[in-house]
Structure formats: structure tokens, C-alpha cells
Amino acid sequence: MALRFYNTLTQRLEEFRPLDGHTVRMYTCGPTVYHYVHIGNFRTFSFQDVLRRVLRMRGWKLFHVMNITDVDDKIIRNAVAEGKSLREYTAPYTEAFLEDAAKLRLERPEKLVFATDHIPDMVEAIRRLAERQHTYESEGSVYFRISSFPEYGKLSHTNFSGNLAGARVDVDEYEKADARDFVLWKARKPGEPYWDTPLGPGRPGWHIECSVMAMKYLGETIDIHTGGVDLIFPHHENEIAQSECITGKPFARFWLHAEHLMVEGQKMSKSLGNFYTLRDILARGWAPEAIRYLLISAPYRKQLNFTFDGLKAAASAIERLRNFQTRLETERFDPGIDEDQEQRAAKALADYHEGLDDDLNTADALGAVFEFIRETNIAMDQGRFRAGNVASAKKLLGDFDLVFDVLRPTLAEGALSDEEVEALLKERTEAKKARDFARADQIRAMLLEKGIVVEDTRDGVRWKRR
Ligand code: AMP
Ligand code: ZN
């Protein structure tokens, strides 16, 4: 079956293909850089990475834009408190975000954009909204009048009728899910950074950022818009209102939202203080790929509870996968091909891809891979697995890693590369041949010290990282 996604807008599973038939134009609400991003945020960004990889595997090209929110209430508060400009304050957190994302092997979106680089575009968008009577002004701030957009509520599936003459709200975060006219442009406050614009001195609201940057780079109707479920209301609802009131066209065709990473029944969040950054976890000695695996192994629309036991299970799942890969690559199998094994591989491959096609059901996809590994290990032990079966097993593992990307170990600083290990092992083999056992043992000990375990088997030398 074809690739299909659950669309928050229609509340249905829908078959996906890009509007123009080749390039997926996709927008992601990026981080607000007032602190280190936590692994809850990274659950959403990791889901987006899986989404990217699956879309590409299905043959589509990608044009993915992610914004960096580098101006908002919290950023201003912290920057002012530290006596820094907005950029001085946010730049190290932006850097840290990109570094952490790279450690988690998240592909860079094709374009990263900063809110503060788009103030004139936002001012222009607000002007167009004003021209069409969607705004009003009060005390130097400009608000969006939600009663001017009858479809308000269509994304969060809330019926706000009779409730739209709401009060105004100035803050970037709503307390609860009630409809309020939201701020597009905030009047300058004493002591705060501001931009001098035709709208008067001030700064943009959070919602207008995303509408403007998404449409500037991706066009008036984009294929996919994503974020965490907490953004459905009001942020994405407001993005729709702004964009569709400007263009009169549907803003995004597919809305995909990731469920939360939880800690003991509550959303992992900065405000609750129940969060871990990637740095916290790496400092405890965990490999980044274990965190990546943990975050993506549960389907993105299910809540996921974060525990260190879960992380341990993720690490051992990776270990099993790598051991299987080592077996495939180093064991010597009898010649020939076993047809049952070929069928098993074909079924596993089909089930794996079908899992991904089914709204990125990573749990089902993984289930197919692990069942295959379990059965194949038995077939290998019983000698039923033949040399001719290696290729189909490698194909499955290869397709698995195109999305999951956990087979390659992250090298610690100062660690030996694969090539260096191979070179030392070659030297060791030669030393043994020359009956220089002292040198051979010395090399083995040196490798062990660097975390490389060497095993001499019937089929030759095998090694793995500890
Ligand atoms: P923020 O920096 O707060 O704007 O959040 C960046 C992204 O992380 C948004 O898409 C949020 O919806 C998402 N997010 C925040 N907390 C969590 C969480 N506990 N689990 C999953 N995603 C989250
Ligand atoms: Zn956004």
C-alpha cells in the first residue's frame, strides 16, 4: 500500500503525495532558543527526521524549512536580565541545538530560518491582514480578530461559535484552550529590544513568524506542516488563520503532530523542570544512538514514557542488531541458497516497509526486523542459512538503517576508526604468522584498551566495539 499519514486537519489517514508530484514542501516549527533543547523536544524533531527519510525512500525530493524562534517573551526576559542583545543571547543555544541534533543523526532541513531575519516580511503580512479587515490596534499593539475567520478552530476541531468575541491575549503562551484574539505585533515595552517599523516600534508575536517564513520559502499552499501536539492550539490554528486570511488559499495540506515524551505521567517540559537535555544523558555515558532509537522506536502518535530502563532496552536492541550485522559480515556460510530463508527475508522486507507506510509505524517496522533476526539467527545456528542468503538479509538491514540509522557506533573522542582497527588487526595477523606472539598480544591489549574486543574464530578474526 502507498504511504499514508494521519492528518490532524481531516482526522483521517490519507495517502500522501506532494502537490507538484516530485518535491515535498514541508515546514517544521523549530526550537525556541532560550535554553538547551530537551529530549522531549527532540522526540518531535526525531519524528521529523524519520518522516524526512521515509519520504525520500519513497522517491520524493525534499524542501524542508525549519525556523529558529529567536525572539519571544522568555528570550527577551533572559537577554535583558543578562544585559545581552537577542542574538548574543540566543546564538550559543542555536549552536547547541544544531550540535545535539547532529549527534542524534537528525538530517539538517534544507533551510534553517531565523525569525529576527524576517521582521520586514512580518510587517508586510500584518499590513495585508489589516487591509482585509482582520486586525485592530490597541495601545500600539496589533491583534488578529478571530471572529473575522469563520473557520477558526478547524485544526483543533473546536467549535468556537458564539465564543469568538473573545478577550485579547498578549503572551506567547496561552494558559488554556479558549479562543482569544491574538497579538500580531507587540508594542515596545520600556527596556526591551524593539524594531522601528511602519507599525510603530515593537516586535512580532510568535504565530506570525511561522506563517510568514513558511509561505516565503515554500509557497502559499505547502504539503506538510509538523510540530508537537501542544502546538495544534493555538499556534497552528493561528498560523492557519493568518495565512489563509492573507492568501485565501489552504495553508497546509497535511498537518502531522508528534505526541509527547512523558515523565511519570507528565509532559517533559522546561516549566515543570522534569527534563533531561541530550547533554545530561550523554554525560551519564549513554550513546546518542540509544537515545535516537528510544525516541523513534515508538510510533510518533503515541505518548512515550521516558525511563532509563527504556534507554537500556534501546541500547541492547542496538546491540542485537549490530551483532547480527557482524554475523552476516564475518561468518562463513555454506554455499547455495535456502528458499525458505529467501521468503522470510522478502516477507520481513515487505512488512518493514508496510509498517513505515502505515503512518510511520516504527514499532511495526521494527517488529518485522527483529522477528527476522530471531529466525535467521536460528537458521544460521542450524546451518540452514547459506551464502546465497546473505544479500537479502543485508538488504533488509540496509533499508532498516536508512531510516533508523543506529548501526554505526558513535566514536568517542580519541577512539579508533574502523580503518585503524582493520590495519592493526592485519598487523597482528602478520605478527602471528611470523610467530611474533608478543607483538600480537600487545596489539590485542592495545585494542582492548580502546574498547575493541577481538575474537579469533574458525572463520577468522572478528572484532566489535564494547
Ligand atoms: P519549543 O522550543 O517549546 O517551541 O518546542 C519545540 C518543539 O518540541 C515543538 O514542536 C513542541 O511541540 C515540541 N515539544 C515540546 N515538549 C515536548 C515533549 N515533552 N515531547 C515531544 N515534543 C515536545
Ligand atoms: Zn510555528
Side-chain angles (χ1 to χ4, degrees):
M1 269 214 270
L3 179 61
R4 52 221 186 266
F5 298 132
Y6 180 84
N7 186 347
T8 308
L9 185 64
T10 58
Q11 297 184 301
R12 276 201 304 268
L13 266 186
E14 291 177 54
E15 190 175 322
F16 177 80
R17 53 192 342 269
L19 198 57
D20 73 1
H22 45 91
T23 303
V24 180
R25 285 162 307 131
M26 173 157 98
Y27 185 85
T28 289
C29 295
T32 308
V33 281
Y34 74 102
H35 197 291
Y36 294 108
V37 163
H38 58 66
I39 57 166
N41 303 125
F42 273 121
R43 182 183 191 201
T44 293
F45 299 128
S46 305
F47 139 69
Q48 287 152 1
D49 186 63
V50 169
L51 174 62
R52 284 181 56 93
R53 290 166 185 251
V54 172
L55 286 166
R56 211 178 27 239
M57 204 155 73
R58 297 296 174 258
W60 310 122
K61 287 205 174 64
L62 288 172
F63 187 46
H64 178 192
V65 175
M66 178 192 270
N67 73 304
I68 302 282
T69 298
D70 59 351
V71 53
D72 92 327
D73 291 342
K74 285 173 278 198
I75 291 173
I76 289 177
R77 195 195 318 124
N78 296 357
V80 169
E82 293 186 17
K84 292 180 175 160
S85 71
L86 292 180
R87 267 292 154 97
E88 275 170 337
Y89 179 75
T90 57
Y93 293 119
T94 305
E95 262 322 294
F97 166 69
L98 296 174
E99 263 177 47
D100 290 355
K103 286 199 175 126
L104 287 173
R105 306 181 182 181
L106 308 186
E107 297 179 347
R108 272 278 177 108
E110 279 62 36
K111 199 162 181 64
L112 272 182
V113 291
F114 293 83
T116 55
D117 289 337
H118 295 80
I119 306 294
D121 301 299
M122 298 184 210
V123 170
E124 171 60 14
I126 296 169
R127 193 195 60 73
R128 287 175 69 184
L129 285 170
E131 204 173 75
R132 288 155 201 239
Q133 324 291 323
H134 293 293
T135 69
Y136 59 92
E137 204 214 293
S138 171
E139 294 169 14
S141 291
V142 182
Y143 297 86
F144 184 94
R145 191 191 303 280
I146 58 177
S147 60
S148 72
F149 182 57
E151 293 173 52
Y152 195 79
K154 70 179 174 182
L155 182 69
S156 54
H157 301 276
T158 320
N159 183 2
F160 290 116
S161 59
N163 193 17
L164 287 181
R168 298 191 299 266
V169 63
D170 269 277
V171 291
D172 288 325
E173 281 183 274
Y174 283 21
E175 282 302 319
K176 46 185 183 313
D178 53 2
R180 308 258 184 97
D181 289 344
F182 57 90
V183 72
L184 296 163
W185 186 256
K186 296 190 181 196
R188 168 191 179 187
K189 290 203 192 105
E192 288 193 351
Y194 65 95
W195 285 264
D196 256 323
T197 74
L199 296 170
R203 57 135 180 137
W206 172 36
H207 313 298
I208 194 72
E209 274 181 29
C210 287
S211 283
V212 163
M213 292 187 282
M215 294 196 293
K216 173 163 182 166
Y217 297 103
L218 299 169
E220 294 180 339
T221 299
I222 70 179
D223 289 307
I224 302 179
H225 197 310
T226 69
V229 284
D230 54 321
L231 299 189
I232 297 173
F233 187 87
H235 183 51
H236 290 164
E237 198 75 74
N238 291 352
E239 279 189 44
I240 291 177
Q242 296 164 148
S243 303
E244 299 192 357
C245 286
I246 291 173
T247 68
K249 295 180 188 153
F251 174 44
R253 299 168 56 229
F254 282 76
W255 288 86
L256 271 58
H257 292 102
E259 255 299 346
H260 284 144
L261 186 66
M262 312 291 285
V263 183
E264 286 163 10
Q266 282 181 304
K267 170 190 171 190
M268 181 177 286
S269 73
K270 278 173 200 133
S271 53
L272 290 173
N274 61 352
F275 65 92
Y276 292 98
T277 64
L278 183 66
R279 283 141 206 261
D280 296 333
I281 294 184
L282 299 184
R284 292 173 175 228
W286 296 94
E289 57 271 28
I291 303 165
R292 175 180 171 86
Y293 184 98
L294 176 71
L295 295 178
I296 66 183
S297 56
Y300 76 95
R301 287 203 302 123
K302 289 220 168 84
Q303 286 186 349
L304 172 64
N305 204 39
F306 176 76
T307 62
F308 282 95
D309 280 346
L311 198 50
K312 205 166 147 186
S316 49
I318 293 174
E319 190 67 21
R320 280 192 68 197
L321 289 153
R322 287 181 184 163
N323 286 340
F324 181 72
Q325 185 183 35
T326 306
R327 242 187 133 169
L328 271 182
E329 283 172 356
T330 59
E331 226 163 279
R332 227 178 278 144
F333 304 103
D334 290 342
I337 190 161
D338 180 77
E339 281 313 321
D340 287 350
Q341 176 64 27
E342 284 307 281
Q343 275 178 23
R344 184 174 299 140
K347 178 171 187 324
L349 191 67
D351 289 351
Y352 169 74
H353 285 289
E354 169 52 23
L356 295 176
D357 277 348
D358 183 15
D359 196 26
L360 310 177
N361 192 329
T362 45
D364 280 0
L366 279 173
V369 172
F370 278 106
E371 188 180 318
F372 174 79
I373 290 179
R374 193 179 55 78
E375 290 174 347
T376 304
N377 271 324
I378 296 171
M380 286 173 169
D381 295 343
Q382 297 178 344
R384 284 182 282 117
F385 188 92
R386 301 303 179 85
N389 298 123
V390 170
S392 59
K394 278 194 175 166
K395 163 73 178 156
L396 177 66
L397 221 48
D399 281 13
F400 158 80
D401 215 39
L402 279 177
V403 175
F404 285 80
D405 199 357
V406 294
L407 291 179
R408 173 177 49 91
T410 299
L411 297 184
E413 260 169 74
L416 296 173
S417 68
D418 286 8
E419 293 73 28
E420 288 167 323
V421 174
E422 297 290 351
L424 282 165
L425 285 176
K426 194 161 164 244
E427 196 188 327
R428 176 171 170 268
T429 308
E430 276 156 17
K432 274 168 113 181
K433 258 192 218 148
R435 308 195 66 77
D436 182 356
F437 297 111
R439 176 66 187 147
D441 287 348
Q442 192 187 24
I443 292 173
R444 188 196 188 105
M446 195 166 81
L447 286 167
L448 193 63
E449 200 176 308
K450 294 270 187 188
I452 309 290
V453 185
V454 180
E455 205 186 327
D456 293 302
T457 72
R458 206 160 36 96
D459 302 327
V461 183
R462 277 200 223 160
W463 64 274
K464 62 180 183 182
R465 295 180 192 273
R466 209 173 20 202

